[in-house]
Amino acid sequence: MSKVRTSVEWGFKNILQHFAFLGFKPAQNLQMSNVGTAYAVATILSNCRKCLYGSQTSKYFEVDPPTLEEYLS
């Protein structure tokens, strides 16, 4: 498996670890909840967390994440 693909999978894993309800399949009924919006919000919040604390991906590729202000602007 390529390095880039592995790092992308780390991102999905982290989102599901911090927002476990997204991985709970019975709760992902399209008519009962807006799954796409919930995942988009979880991704933005996860990226904010990575700006503040870093991530496995940024350490692996030796790249500093942007500051929170840079990310949100």
Side-chain angles (χ1 to χ4, degrees), residues 11-22:
F12 287 115
K13 176 193 72 152
N14 288 336
I15 290 172
L16 290 178
Q17 281 180 339
H18 291 98
F19 303 95
F21 67 91
L22 292 173

Side-chain angles (χ1 to χ4, degrees), residues 11-53:
F12 287 115
K13 176 193 72 152
N14 288 336
I15 290 172
L16 290 178
Q17 281 180 339
H18 291 98
F19 303 95
F21 67 91
L22 292 173
F24 186 59
K25 294 190 191 289
Q28 294 181 358
N29 188 341
L30 290 175
Q31 296 160 342
M32 296 182 69
S33 64
N34 195 344
V35 179
T37 302
Y39 197 84
V41 170
T43 302
I44 291 169
L45 292 174
S46 178
N47 287 344
C48 289
R49 185 180 189 285
K50 290 173 185 175
C51 289
L52 293 171
Y53 302 110

